[in-house]
Amino acid sequence: MLESFMIGFHSIMNPQCILLILLGIIIGILFGSIPGLSATMALALFLPITYSLASVPGVVLLVSLYIGGISGGLIAAILTRIPGTPSSVATCFDGYPMTQKGQGAKALGVGIVFSFIGTLFSTIVLIFLAPFLAKIAIQFGAYEYFAVAVFSLSMMCGLSGKSMIKGLMSGILGCIFATVGMDSITNVPRYTFNVSDLASGFNILPVLIGLFAISEIIVSAETAKKASKMKVVQVDMKHIRGFGFSLKELYGQCSNTITSCLVGTGIGILPGMGGGVANVLNYGIIKNKSKYPEKFGTGIIDGLVASETSNNAAIGGALVPLLALGIPGDTVTAMLLGGLTIQGISPGPLMFTQNVDIVYSIFLTMIFGAIAMLFIEFYGLRIFVKLLKIPKQYLLPGIFVFCVIGSYGLNNRMFDVWGVLLFGLIGYAFNKMRIPSSPFILGFIIGPIAETNLRRGLMFSQGSFLPFVTSPVADLFFALTIFALIFFIISNKKHQSTRNTQNQQSVPSQTKDM
Amino acid sequence: MVKLFVKRYRELLVGVFVGLFSAAYLFGSAFIRRSNIVSLGGEFMPELYGYFLLFLSLLQIIIGWKSARASISDVNTSTGESGKASKTDSKNVLMVFIAIVFYLATIQLLGFILSSAIFLFVLNFLLSPSNSKKNPRVTIIYAILLPIITYFIFHNYMNINLPAGIFFN
């Protein structure tokens, strides 16, 4: 392992990579902090820049953007009460009340330091767990990969939000769009309508850019004319010592930090879930376990620690299945998968033997990136706060132009650019119909993996399904799939009954008001 | 009127729309060439996805029908939200969409720089809040400089040959 680290160290210890880490962190924080922009969008925007870079610098830039993007969300959450990214929703609960109490600088300090701790912890888990998992996964055959793919597809239910049916629809639609093109086993054209450009199917990049960046631009057009200026609370950063909190307060959060690190990393590892789920879920766990749950939401650092540690811990967690199995943990890692594929690298167990430099560059970028994030975010805060005020009418059209370049540069053809518009419209339609977009991405990526391995497995077994159920690893993943489905169905029903009760309670009170 | 109809029957419409899509997709699967060499041909997964999506759309139609009926009875018993003005600006969305289509359609003819400059200027106008101060000078400088700089960087340093258009060829 030490030798591999040295290879990674030599790969990134050059001015170009160091500069890209700093640049990636700064731009990532900026994208994370501006509501409406996200880490996914930052990666989409910078993918075309990685075309001309070598593999290591390209990956270094993308990973740095990811770390900065997830952490940057806390700035807007604490200063404006608008979460910069879904990963910082729970940060608003205690971060903004702290700002209102005049503890804005302390809230930012706590958020930044615990983001750093979360990233570092999950990186350590990633360093030890990913190679171990890859060693096991290298022995996987078609049966086992099919079972892993089925388990990953079951996570569509977890990403469904309010309606499981709509989430599943979105996921299946993702699988459907992935069937366009030549069939990977028999080389038969499917849904190509004799259009030569459709023979290679839709590339992942236009799908991601369209669904997450273009649809956002169209959605923002709905309210653009009536938009009001964002109110940003001014925080005095001049008279602050250290990161704004005492060592005693740091020690007091030991138990919360450990729980948050474990929950965040665990949620991140599960395919289909990321920081967005981790921060809200962990906030609830920490609140329930606290001796003073009634104080949560009034502006205490416990809530902030819970949210910011867990969402950053999900970063390393999400990279575990991506690097070890080639399965993205969330939409940002799906974007990373796209970036690696563009560089000609296929994530999975073979990466640990064939692309050691890339794997260990990712590990080291996460460590150096976390350290850079700690200082850049805290000491550059005044600049980031100013950048928060950049009008969207300048930002969004600029982003669109970059998206066009990104998709055009993929194959130097307009087909991919039109593909971006198509998936942008699908994303907008999803938004209007309240259908979640994340399961679509999961279906688009995992659907073909499931199909190829099912059919390949059946070719090995000469049409018999028996080997699929006699493989112990496959059985384990099938059992996990059943367990996950039961869990999601129960939790969905619970949420639904809670919503119904709330609705029933609100109706009499409204009648009373009238 | 249309907005109220869409609001009331939204869930039902989702089911109907997805149902029609799945039926069309299933119809398309009939045109996939069958193969006797492998146990599962290229048509297997599309058929599986198609039938599953059709099943989901039927469930959605049932849910949508129930919620539409519930919303009708709600309107009868209470004032409802129908009187509230819609916050969305559909006309602006349509204008943005037209601007995007025009941009993509003209990018090869006019070239990246010219079409992007026009697009940036138009979209800046469409996305500006009506109560904000207009600064056309800044907008024009931004709309001209951004495409020129990006074209120069991507063309010279990243080997991406963006369309030059008929005027610059």
Side-chain angles (χ1 to χ4, degrees):
Chain A
M1 187 180 258
L2 200 68
E3 203 178 304
S4 308
F5 262 110
M6 286 313 291
I7 295 171
F9 194 78
H10 280 298
S11 305
I12 69 160
M13 269 305 130
N14 55 66
Q16 188 193 22
C17 284
I18 293 167
L19 203 72
L20 286 172
I21 291 177
L22 297 175
L23 186 80
I25 293 289
I26 293 169
I27 294 168
I29 293 171
L30 181 65
F31 267 75
S33 61
I34 298 173
L37 306 188
S38 60
T40 318
M41 221 186 236
L43 263 83
L45 198 61
F46 277 82
L47 273 175
I49 289 173
T50 64
Y51 294 160
S52 60
L53 295 172
S55 313
V56 172
V59 173
V60 161
L61 176 65
L62 295 178
V63 174
S64 309
L65 284 167
Y66 184 17
I67 297 170
I70 297 292
S71 177
L74 70 92
I75 299 175
I78 291 171
L79 299 182
T80 67
R81 209 187 173 192
I82 304 165
T85 59
S87 299
S88 49
V89 170
T91 309
C92 299
F93 301 163
D94 279 289
Y96 190 70
M98 276 179 84
T99 309
Q100 282 179 314
K101 284 196 262 178
Q103 298 177 337
K106 183 179 174 179
L108 288 163
V110 169
I112 292 165
V113 169
F114 284 88
S115 286
F116 166 73
I117 294 172
T119 311
L120 210 61
F121 175 86
S122 67
T123 308
I124 294 165
V125 173
L126 173 72
I127 290 168
F128 288 99
L129 194 63
F132 173 71
L133 258 180
K135 260 186 196 168
I136 300 171
I138 212 155
Q139 290 156 6
F140 283 9
Y143 314 121
E144 290 81 8
Y145 262 115
F146 173 68
V148 172
V150 170
F151 172 63
S152 306
L153 285 175
S154 73
M155 292 299 153
M156 288 192 302
C157 303
L159 292 171
S160 296
K162 285 179 186 171
S163 166
M164 197 176 277
I165 294 173
K166 283 185 179 177
L168 286 171
M169 275 180 177
S170 168
I172 297 297
L173 281 168
C175 296
I176 281 174
F177 275 93
T179 58
V180 176
M182 301 303 276
D183 169 30
S184 59
I185 304 280
T186 53
N187 223 19
V188 165
R190 298 191 295 193
Y191 304 98
T192 53
F193 307 104
N194 290 329
V195 176
S196 57
D197 281 328
L198 278 174
S200 52
F202 293 108
N203 193 288
I204 178 79
L205 198 69
V207 178
L208 286 166
I209 295 176
L211 275 179
F212 290 97
I214 306 304
S215 65
E216 181 62 39
I217 294 169
I218 305 175
V219 167
S220 68
E222 283 183 349
T223 50
K225 292 280 171 205
K226 291 160 193 163
S228 53
K229 270 190 178 177
M230 192 160 47
K231 281 181 187 163
V232 185
V233 180
Q234 291 302 315
V235 173
D236 178 25
M237 301 295 289
K238 275 182 189 168
H239 306 100
I240 193 164
R241 287 181 68 190
F243 283 98
F245 59 95
S246 64
L247 270 178
K248 197 183 163 191
E249 282 174 305
L250 183 75
Y251 287 131
Q253 295 301 321
C254 269
S255 152
N256 281 356
T257 312
I258 294 165
T259 313
S260 305
C261 281
L262 292 172
V263 172
T265 313
I267 294 281
I269 290 172
L270 289 176
M273 293 195 187
V277 178
N279 79 108
V280 179
L281 186 84
N282 186 56
Y283 185 86
I285 293 172
I286 298 292
K287 188 181 172 182
N288 288 336
K289 159 176 125 82
S290 171
K291 287 174 189 162
Y292 39 85
E294 71 285 351
K295 284 187 183 173
F296 276 72
T298 60
I300 54 168
I301 65 168
D302 302 49
L304 209 53
V305 170
S307 173
E308 280 308 313
T309 314
S310 59
N311 67 13
N312 275 66
I315 297 176
L319 285 173
V320 173
L322 178 75
L323 297 180
L325 304 169
I327 290 169
D330 56 11
T331 40
V332 196
T333 40
M335 204 61 102
L336 265 178
L337 178 86
L340 287 166
T341 316
I342 287 166
Q343 294 285 350
I345 305 153
S346 43
L350 286 176
M351 240 183 118
F352 286 81
T353 49
Q354 291 174 350
N355 305 99
V356 182
D357 55 336
I358 308 258
V359 174
Y360 282 83
S361 296
I362 292 175
F363 294 162
L364 287 166
T365 303
M366 288 188 68
I367 296 170
F368 293 136
I371 298 165
M373 179 256 294
L374 181 69
F375 293 102
I376 291 172
E377 198 167 8
F378 192 76
Y379 293 105
L381 204 72
R382 260 178 289 173
I383 301 162
F384 289 122
V385 169
K386 274 189 187 150
L387 292 174
L388 259 177
K389 293 178 184 170
I390 295 178
K392 275 197 176 171
Q393 64 264 31
Y394 290 104
L395 270 179
L396 294 176
I399 287 171
F400 188 90
V401 169
F402 275 94
C403 290
V404 166
I405 299 172
S407 42
Y408 183 83
L410 198 63
N411 294 308
N412 275 326
R413 58 177 189 173
M414 280 304 287
F415 173 78
D416 293 315
V417 184
W418 287 107
V420 167
L421 181 65
L422 170 73
F423 289 103
L425 284 176
I426 291 173
Y428 180 67
F430 277 11
N431 181 286
K432 291 278 105 187
M433 294 194 268
R434 291 173 190 165
I435 296 175
S437 300
S438 303
F440 187 98
I441 297 294
L442 203 68
F444 189 83
I445 294 169
I446 311 290
I449 299 174
E451 180 183 2
T452 310
N453 286 294
L454 171 69
R455 292 172 62 195
R456 202 173 279 164
L458 283 171
M459 279 165 76
F460 291 145
S461 65
Q462 292 173 328
S464 167
F465 279 94
L466 204 63
F468 284 94
V469 282
T470 50
S471 157
V473 176
D475 284 345
L476 173 76
F477 279 101
F478 285 134
L480 283 172
T481 307
I482 294 166
F483 177 75
L485 287 176
I486 293 169
F487 170 77
F488 289 133
I489 290 168
I490 292 172
S491 66
N492 195 271
K493 285 226 163 190
K494 256 187 190 174
H495 281 298
Q496 222 160 27
S497 61
T498 318
R499 274 199 302 271
N500 288 343
T501 327
Q502 280 172 348
N503 285 345
Q504 278 167 1
Q505 279 171 350
S506 66
V507 169
S509 65
Q510 278 173 5
T511 348
K512 217 173 166 182
D513 291 341
M514 284 191 292
Chain B
M1 191 68 188
V2 178
K3 274 182 185 172
L4 185 69
F5 176 82
V6 172
K7 196 180 173 186
R8 185 174 293 165
Y9 294 101
R10 183 197 280 135
E11 299 301 305
L12 184 71
L13 288 171
V14 170
V16 171
F17 183 74
V18 175
L20 286 173
F21 178 83
S22 58
Y25 182 71
L26 275 171
F27 179 70
S29 73
F31 295 95
I32 298 170
R33 212 183 323 138
R34 266 54 177 169
S35 165
N36 296 324
I37 311 161
V38 286
S39 46
L40 289 183
E43 76 289 349
F44 175 75
M45 287 311 258
E47 281 175 359
L48 186 74
Y49 294 145
Y51 283 117
F52 189 43
L53 194 64
L54 194 64
F55 170 71
L56 289 171
S57 66
L58 289 175
L59 287 180
Q60 182 62 30
I61 287 170
I62 295 166
I63 291 170
W65 180 248
K66 278 184 184 172
S67 79
R69 283 185 63 170
S71 81
I72 291 168
S73 59
D74 276 356
V75 168
N76 292 337
T77 53
S78 68
T79 51
E81 289 175 42
S82 53
K84 281 184 183 176
S86 171
K87 280 181 183 174
T88 58
D89 187 350
S90 310
K91 206 187 278 177
N92 207 38
V93 172
L94 188 69
M95 298 290 280
V96 167
F97 178 69
I98 291 169
I100 292 172
V101 173
F102 181 78
Y103 173 45
L104 298 187
T106 56
I107 201 165
Q108 280 190 310
L109 182 75
L110 300 177
F112 173 78
I113 296 175
L114 197 58
S115 56
S116 299
I118 298 167
F119 174 74
L120 285 170
F121 184 78
V122 172
L123 224 64
N124 184 284
F125 172 74
L126 291 173
L127 295 179
S128 294
S130 40
N131 57 357
S132 73
K133 264 188 187 174
K134 301 273 185 298
N135 197 339
R137 209 179 294 166
V138 176
T139 309
I140 290 169
I141 293 169
Y142 173 74
I144 293 171
L145 279 186
L146 186 77
I148 292 174
I149 294 168
T150 46
Y151 184 87
F152 178 76
I153 294 171
F154 281 93
H155 188 78
N156 293 314
Y157 296 105
M158 290 167 191
N159 300 321
I160 295 178
N161 290 318
L162 294 162
I166 49 167
F167 301 115
F168 298 98
N169 257 332

